[in-house]
Structure formats: C-alpha cells, structure tokens
Amino acid sequence: IAGITQAPTSQILAAGRRMTLRCTQDMRHNAMYWYRQDLGLGLRLIHYSNTAGTTGKGEVPDGYSVSRANTDDFPLTLASAVPSQTSVYFCASSDSGRMWQPQHFGDGTRLSIL
Amino acid sequence: GESVGLHLPTLSVQEGDNSIINCAYSNSASDYFIWYKQESGKGPQFIIDIRSNMDKRQGQRVTVLLNKTVKHLSLQIAATQPGDSAVYFCAENVMYSGGGADGLTFGKGTHLIIQP
C-alpha cells in the first residue's frame, strides 16, 4: 500500500542524546514536511523540502535538522534532545509539482525525552 | 501572526444526525483549505479540500463550505456514524519564507463524539 512510513513508532530517549526519526514515502512526491503535534497547540511545521537536495525552515526549526538526499527519504535529527522536544512527530508529503494538492501524513513517532 | 482557529473544541452528536464543524481563519491571503480527520494513534487523514475561488465542495457524506467574506470554513458530515468519531482539523495554505513548499497552518482541532 502506497504511503508514508515513519520509524520508530515510539521512543524514550535520555536528554542530551542524538536521535534520528526516519520517514520514507513511495508516492514519488517531490515535497516533504516534518510537523510536531503537541496537546493544545495542533500541528506545527518544523522543516520542509521542496525537492531532493533542498530544505527550508518552518515555524519551529530550532533544535532540529533535516536532509533530503533523495526523493523518498526525509530524516529528522535531534542533535541533542531536550525535554521540550517531547512530542508526536509527523512526516508528510505532497505532489507540489501540481497545484492544490493536499499533504498526506504518516502515523507518527511518539518521542519522550527524559 | 495570523492563524487558523476553531470555534468549538468538542462536539457531541447523535448517531445518524448531521454534524457541522466550524473553523475561522484570519489570513486573507490563504487560498487553499483542507479538512483532516485524526483518529487516536494515527496521523491526519485527508477528508476534503477547497480552493478560495469556490464556495462549496461536496464529497462522500461530507461538504465543505467557504465564506470568504467572514473568513469562515465549515465541514458538514451527513448521517454521522460511530466511525466518524475523531479529531477534525482545518488547515490553510501558507507560503513559508524561502518560497517553494506550501506549509500548512493547522487549527487546534475539534473532537467529534458520536453518541449511540
């Protein structure tokens, strides 16, 4: 089934550790996104990528980095995790080469920083 | 900054009734709106979208209405079923600095509860 795969599904991490959240899509979408979802705050954009080789900052980029080496993969890295990064992280993709296309989401990674 | 918001955090309806979920937006430059459904433990699932040059769009059991004059968006679900229980988000299209990909600004969500 085509879609977005995120890994791991959940993780408990000690503060100060480095962590990479993985995201893979098989829809050949050129644009990909990372959001975090916190209770009472909805989903907020962390980073995005228009196409392989390019990335950009969203609303809440501090403490996170991304890379886009190819079309299918868009990993999100926390270089040194802090408790405020405890959240549910969603990866999304869209066919931004066509106008008015919605974003499609994975099922998220639940991350707890202790 | 400008944001998308929802009028009601929780909506409880009887099974079989119609549901209406409302959303207010404040960015007059937004030209694309999307409704998502999110079930517990899952990611947001696309329901229906509408462009700003339209007032109404219908899908299967769902209708989205857009009133640009008052910057209001609504999602109507006909004959609500138990499987409709979820959190519903509206989202608007916003261009982030640097151009290119269209990030979405989400409202905080409305929890739809279906009573038997």
Side-chain angles (χ1 to χ4, degrees), chain B residues 58-76:
Chain B
Q58 289 183 295
Q60 187 176 18
R61 279 202 309 119
V62 295
T63 300
V64 55
L65 299 178
L66 176 63
N67 185 331
K68 295 179 288 294
T69 301
V70 295
K71 297 177 185 169
H72 184 268
L73 193 67
S74 68
L75 176 69
Q76 300 179 3

Side-chain angles (χ1 to χ4, degrees), chain A residues 31-33 35 37 40-45 48-50 56-59 90 94 96 100-108 110, chain B residues 31-32 34 36 38 40-46 49 51-52 89 93 96-109:
Chain A
M32 296 187 74
Y33 315 82
Y35 292 85
Q37 184 175 34
L41 294 176
L43 287 96
R44 294 178 292 167
L45 184 69
Y48 65 90
S49 170
N50 288 322
K57 295 181 179 181
E59 181 184 354
F90 288 99
S94 68
S96 65
W100 321 115
Q101 295 300 305
Q103 293 178 18
H104 298 274
F105 288 79
D107 282 335
R110 285 143 190 83
Chain B
D31 55 7
Y32 181 50
I34 307 171
Y36 286 93
Q38 186 175 25
S40 180
K42 299 288 188 180
Q45 176 186 0
F46 170 78
D49 57 2
R51 295 173 55 179
S52 59
F89 294 94
N93 176 266
Y96 281 88
S97 60
D102 297 341
L104 293 173
T105 295
F106 283 82
K108 293 180 175 55

Side-chain angles (χ1 to χ4, degrees), chain A residues 53-95:
Chain A
T54 69
T55 63
K57 295 181 179 181
E59 181 184 354
V60 288
D62 294 342
Y64 306 95
S65 64
V66 292
S67 62
R68 187 88 184 276
N70 57 62
T71 298
D72 299 341
D73 302 299
F74 191 41
L76 176 74
T77 297
L78 290 68
S80 180
V82 296
S84 62
Q85 292 177 310
T86 293
S87 187
V88 182
Y89 292 86
F90 288 99
C91 180
S93 71
S94 68
D95 182 4

